[in-house]
Amino acid sequence: MEQESDSTWQFWKRRRHLVAFLAFFGFFNVYALRVNLSVAIVAMTSPYNVSTGNNTFEQVRDFDWDSKTQGLVLSSFFYGYISTQILGGWLGTRYGGARVYGIGIFTTALLTIITPQIANTSLYLLVALRVIEGIFEGVTYPSMHAVWSAWAPISERSRMTSFAFSGSYLGTVVALPVSGIVAKHFGWPSIFYITGIVGLIWCTIWWIVVKDTPESDPHISSEELKFLKEHIGPTNAKIEHPWTQFFKSMPVWAIVMAHFCENWGFYTLLTQLPTFMKDALNYDLQKAGFLSSAPYLVMTIIMQFAGHLSDWLCNKEILSRTNVRKLFNCGAFIAQTVFMMLAAYLLTPVGVVTCLVFAVGLGAFAWPAFSVNHLDIAPQHAGVLMGFSNTFATIPGIISPLLSGFIVTNKSADEWKIVFYISSTIYLIGALFYGMFASAEKQHWAIEKEPKMEHVYTNTALDVEKI
């Protein structure tokens, strides 16, 4: 049994590792399907020359959308995304996390393929389509926590979740430049066709290979099944969620705060970094694709190390699980506070990106902390709790760009400093709150009660008991 728990990372030998491996590419597809429009909309609204005969050309655009219309199209996804977070966790717990996760990505991929036709038909239909895509993608993260509650033993919890979630950052790094290349050589509709088809291929593999629980997997070895039963316990489909206790629990709110603060910084950089470099430094970041993607590539790599280190510290009992979670999350947030402030004062593109690489890269240590914390405090409710925290964590994706636009009116370096100061302050608040209230101990309201023995007949010679 010890040999099973200490097995190396070889996904082809352990079914739970295969689940994590396929989940990695699932989140890769989640973000590829999410950001494809960010690149496509540039080509959709850019002018190009069309021959009118007699060696004359006319400039035309496929879509004559102003900046407000483009903003509506791009933001519409999040309005659907924020609406199904808690529902996704509940559905995953109730009907199976792997099934809900697969359906969410399958539907999004299918809708992605028909996006060009819808865009050419009606702007309002395109906005509605993106809202629906957000609705189905909204179930992915919460339902995946329902998968972890059945497949991830506590000794491997951080590394499995960190590995899978890092697929989203790699998806961002790959999808943005590749979508640009595809649009240039094959036209913007090809972006949606390719990302949609790749998503459907992944869904087929996921649906065939991954099951909701180890007990329902016909290919799992008896050794691994026994190991998971001993370290996780049997799965129970009939779970009643103590909703009132969720709202009363400070460890739950510590997760919510950490998730919100981490996403604030992430969405600020993701949406504002190119504009900041152009406005404050007069630097065209599009000419340096590596610099723009470097922070997220570094984060993808560091998350692997951070997840393994977190599990190692817990398994060797060098620190308590609660202290490991606090050390990783608070240490990451404090580092991000410092480097975000430094980025506001540097005047060279390389210097700024270097600071942001450190900020985002060290932020990778926060993910094996707060993103796993739901499973620590209430494993059977982890899907719903992930949906609860991700609901709040989606708000920065809507507010941060709007706030930055309100602050940066003259495109000056001093205005951009305020944007970075706000992000730094939010990180610091998140570190303090999480350090004070976080816990990795199973909460009292998450402890399953043993069935009571009720005496229905009493006799000195015979006792009849009813469970």
Side-chain angles (χ1 to χ4, degrees), residues 4 39 49 58 71 89 111 145 158 178 199 218 299 320 329 343 357 384 402 420 434:
E4 165 63 42
V39 178
N49 294 324
E58 179 183 359
L111 294 174
H145 257 44
S158 293
V178 169
M299 190 174 193
S320 68
N329 192 84
V357 164
V384 170
L402 297 176
F420 282 97
Y434 193 86

Side-chain angles (χ1 to χ4, degrees), residues 258-272:
H259 206 164
F260 176 91
C261 295
E262 175 59 28
N263 273 19
W264 182 281
F266 172 76
Y267 284 123
T268 298
L269 293 181
L270 186 65
T271 59
Q272 303 302 316

Side-chain angles (χ1 to χ4, degrees), residues 6-44:
D6 291 338
S7 61
T8 57
W9 189 266
Q10 295 175 310
F11 65 89
W12 57 90
K13 291 186 178 181
R14 299 283 181 256
R15 295 296 289 185
R16 64 184 183 276
H17 294 169
L18 181 59
V19 170
F21 178 78
L22 290 177
F24 172 90
F25 285 102
F27 284 113
F28 181 101
N29 279 286
V30 164
Y31 264 70
L33 293 168
R34 182 184 303 188
V35 305
N36 54 14
L37 184 59
S38 300
V39 178
I41 201 169
V42 177
M44 294 165 71

